[in-house]
Amino acid sequence: MRPEAVPWHREHFYTRWDVERYLEAEAIDVVQADPEWCGGVSELVKIGTLAALHDVPVLPHGHCLHAALHVIASQPPMTFPLGEYLVNKMAHFYMFEKNPLFPKRAHLELPTGPGFGIELDAAKIESQRKMEWE
């Protein structure tokens, strides 16, 4: 039996059916699905719909932050109140981007460009070559 004061969460859900099992069993208090692992933006939105039916918030796990931000911005704040920003990881993870995501006063600005606003910084790329497969 778990103490009621301890919220239960799980990271790395892969589908809405995976999340649904936990929600139906009332075995989770926070869903930390990541669009990179759960099947993309559409699947994350569907997971949010399931979570909303159980009054459980979704806090996207901090890997695919660009996509997660767009989902968070498009959904009700009761369901998607915030996202996770992995401070130590993000500086390296987005190193090659022209405008890497960085919080200002605990907020991230929603990228507006195509491809979730991801643009590579050519000055940070030492070399490039076209890969060909036989």
Side-chain angles (χ1 to χ4, degrees):
M1 182 152 282
R2 69 181 176 93
E4 290 305 313
V6 178
W8 288 77
H9 72 283
R10 177 173 173 221
E11 300 175 358
H12 307 306
F13 286 104
Y14 300 102
T15 67
R16 69 192 105 141
W17 297 282
D18 194 17
V19 173
E20 184 179 35
R21 288 188 342 218
Y22 284 85
L23 293 169
E24 289 294 326
E26 297 181 4
I28 192 165
D29 294 327
V30 176
V31 175
Q32 276 202 284
D34 182 325
E36 185 178 285
W37 294 49
C38 77
V41 169
S42 297
E43 192 69 10
L44 183 57
V45 170
K46 291 172 186 175
I47 288 169
T49 301
L50 281 172
L53 292 172
H54 295 269
D55 291 323
V56 172
V58 179
L59 303 162
H61 192 40
H63 290 280
C64 194
L65 200 51
H66 295 81
L69 282 177
H70 281 79
V71 173
I72 292 166
S74 71
Q75 299 301 305
M78 291 297 292
T79 305
F80 285 88
L82 52 95
E84 180 181 39
Y85 183 89
L86 304 169
V87 176
N88 292 328
K89 179 184 179 182
M90 294 300 115
H92 305 289
F93 198 70
Y94 298 125
M95 184 175 106
F96 293 102
E97 290 185 21
K98 191 175 272 189
N99 301 303
L101 296 171
F102 189 78
K104 293 178 183 101
R105 303 186 78 190
H107 290 85
L108 291 166
E109 198 169 307
L110 185 65
T112 58
F116 294 125
I118 299 170
E119 187 178 350
L120 297 179
D121 185 347
K124 294 179 182 174
I125 301 170
E126 284 183 22
S127 67
Q128 300 187 91
R129 64 186 165 103
K130 183 177 178 182
M131 295 194 64
E132 296 192 25
W133 303 94
E134 294 183 41

